[in-house]
Amino acid sequence: MSSIGTISYKCARYLADILSPMVAKTRHHMKNSKAFVEKVTKQRVGPDEEMRSYDVSALFTSVPVDKALILIRKKLKEDTTLSERTPLAPEDIANLLELCLKCTYFQYEGEFYLKIHGAAMGSPLFPIVCNLYMENFQQRVLSTAEQPPDWWKRYVDDNHTILKKEFSE
């Protein structure tokens, strides 16, 4: 790995450590597949209900970076425990985050390219950014749904729900 790549990775790792405690703040989040299996095996489905599973296609490359940055900036300003994790101000963290998310260069057949849509794979930072974005998106959708499901669980890009049969058509 080049020295620039090493610096970029270390910056992303530092930001990931700062941001990771902000993830999993909803009742819908599953920490891992084991936690999901434990929950789903205890869940009962009524005769008028059915289980459904949804997958977010290409989550990392589909997350709108600008919207994710706005959301995370807001969350950083509201985080009362941030000073326990870093001496950096929320705006400084957001600026570093923007640099890491928007300066994603890659090489293909000897040519260098700048990735301009979504988050790049391989960084310790991007799963956290995607989770924060998805938690916010999911919360907005479920809070405005006409008939929100009682059971909705998400692990990264996999969503699992139990819906009334009349609403699942």
Side-chain angles (χ1 to χ4, degrees):
M1 186 182 290
S2 70
S3 61
I4 291 175
T6 301
I7 292 168
S8 177
Y9 181 84
K10 286 183 179 183
C11 182
R13 177 77 264 156
Y14 180 72
L15 290 172
D17 290 342
I18 292 169
L19 296 178
S20 62
M22 297 166 56
V23 175
K25 299 296 183 188
T26 72
R27 67 183 179 97
H28 308 289
H29 179 83
M30 292 282 94
K31 181 180 178 179
N32 54 39
S33 55
K34 181 181 176 189
F36 172 74
V37 169
E38 288 173 5
K39 286 274 189 190
V40 78
T41 55
K42 295 176 185 173
Q43 188 60 36
R44 299 292 167 237
V45 180
D48 62 335
E49 299 175 320
E50 64 183 12
M51 286 187 164
R52 288 278 178 110
S53 180
Y54 304 95
D55 182 67
V56 178
S57 179
L59 175 62
F60 278 33
T61 56
S62 300
V63 168
V65 171
D66 288 330
K67 289 181 180 181
L69 285 167
I70 290 167
L71 164 73
I72 294 171
R73 240 185 194 96
K74 181 178 182 279
K75 287 181 133 333
L76 286 166
K77 290 175 183 174
E78 295 170 353
D79 189 339
T80 58
T81 64
L82 184 62
S83 63
E84 297 169 15
R85 298 189 306 276
T86 181
L88 296 176
E91 197 58 32
D92 295 331
I93 297 166
N95 289 338
L96 280 173
L97 179 61
E98 183 172 8
L99 183 66
C100 285
L101 292 177
K102 289 190 170 186
C103 292
T104 52
Y105 292 90
F106 62 96
Q107 186 177 10
Y108 178 72
E109 292 187 354
E111 295 289 324
F112 284 93
Y113 298 89
L114 172 64
K115 182 169 179 16
I116 57 173
H117 296 291
M121 302 288 285
S123 168
L125 184 58
F126 298 133
I128 295 164
V129 170
C130 290
N131 265 317
L132 288 169
Y133 182 80
M134 285 300 294
E135 284 178 7
N136 178 265
F137 178 80
Q138 169 186 295
Q139 193 62 32
R140 286 184 302 145
V141 168
L142 292 175
S143 69
T144 59
E146 199 173 299
Q147 293 286 330
D150 292 331
W151 168 267
W152 182 283
K153 300 296 178 195
R154 184 184 60 80
Y155 175 61
V156 190
D157 64 345
D158 297 314
N159 297 276
H160 188 268
T161 188
I162 297 174
L163 297 172
K164 296 285 185 196
K165 287 181 181 177
E166 63 186 278
F167 294 111
S168 63
E169 300 289 316

